[in-house]
Amino acid sequence: ERKATGIAVVAHCTLCWGDWYPHLEKLADTHDLMMVFLHSDVIDSPRHFFDFSNGAPHTWFSGYGEDMTKVLHAVRDSANEFGSELYGTLLPAAPAVAVGHSLGGAGSLIATSRDEDFEGAFVMSPCVVHSETLASISKPIMVLSATEDGICPPARTARPYYAALSRAPELYYAEIVGGTHCAFMPAPT
């Protein structure tokens, strides 16, 4: 029986759900990754509710990052617990990465900055992240954005975030020309 060689905890955008990311599932199959989607109705969830009135939506994004960490540890524990449905499906020392889009991108960066078990992050059009969080990350990061993103315009989010990730030992940035916030690819039918 094949075991996953790595784990990715994926956090979605508030406008998109897990089934909007078929490319990630294909990547997981190709590379023996265990892909765990954090499904959350963040708009109605008191855990992720936030208030922009003070200019700093800490609670929402921090909560999402904390949830990603909890999911990672729960999955790892289950994969090592005899009798669990996940028992034996993940190599014990399998590396973990946080993957996120928009709100999930912010949560991924927060989770990566706070939990040593996340060895890096791949973020797509990340939204509001504080510069202190970005400056604290010393792990590999890939930032993907889209030139026509009207929700998280690259000039206001992805590009300055990329520049603020000064401690990341490996840092990658790409923009999809003509892409929009939720249209890195066609939506599922």
Side-chain angles (χ1 to χ4, degrees), residues 67-176:
D67 288 350
M68 293 180 78
T69 293
K70 287 177 184 175
V71 166
L72 171 63
H73 293 281
V75 168
R76 279 198 165 149
D77 290 348
S78 291
N80 292 315
E81 183 180 318
F82 185 75
S84 163
E85 188 176 319
L86 293 178
Y87 180 71
T89 59
L90 183 65
L91 291 176
V97 65
V99 178
H101 174 214
S102 190
L103 165 68
S108 294
L109 290 167
I110 290 168
T112 302
S113 74
R114 294 182 180 170
D115 189 328
E116 65 186 34
D117 286 340
F118 281 112
E119 296 184 26
F122 169 58
V123 296
M124 300 169 279
S125 291
C127 59
V128 182
V129 182
H130 295 282
S131 57
E132 303 85 37
T133 298
L134 297 169
S136 73
I137 299 173
S138 58
K139 301 170 186 175
I141 304 291
M142 168 73 186
V143 180
L144 178 65
S145 190
T147 59
E148 305 306 312
D149 188 335
I151 295 171
C152 296
R156 205 176 71 220
T157 56
R159 289 181 206 145
Y161 296 169
Y162 173 78
L165 289 160
S166 58
R167 293 187 57 215
E170 295 177 54
L171 188 55
Y172 307 94
Y173 182 86
E175 282 184 20
I176 297 174

Side-chain angles (χ1 to χ4, degrees), residues 10-100:
V10 183
H12 61 82
C13 167
T14 57
L15 304 173
C16 311
W17 304 107
D19 61 354
W20 279 53
Y21 306 102
H23 59 294
L24 294 177
E25 291 177 25
K26 209 175 281 186
L27 179 70
D29 290 342
T30 307
H31 295 284
D32 291 329
L33 295 173
M34 179 183 286
M35 192 78 59
V36 181
F37 284 85
L38 180 68
H39 286 281
S40 172
D41 188 359
V42 294
I43 294 170
D44 296 328
S45 171
R47 170 146 177 75
H48 298 125
F49 178 75
F50 73 103
D51 178 0
F52 269 118
S53 63
N54 67 2
H58 296 285
T59 306
W60 197 13
F61 304 120
S62 293
Y64 219 27
E66 290 166 12
D67 288 350
M68 293 180 78
T69 293
K70 287 177 184 175
V71 166
L72 171 63
H73 293 281
V75 168
R76 279 198 165 149
D77 290 348
S78 291
N80 292 315
E81 183 180 318
F82 185 75
S84 163
E85 188 176 319
L86 293 178
Y87 180 71
T89 59
L90 183 65
L91 291 176
V97 65
V99 178

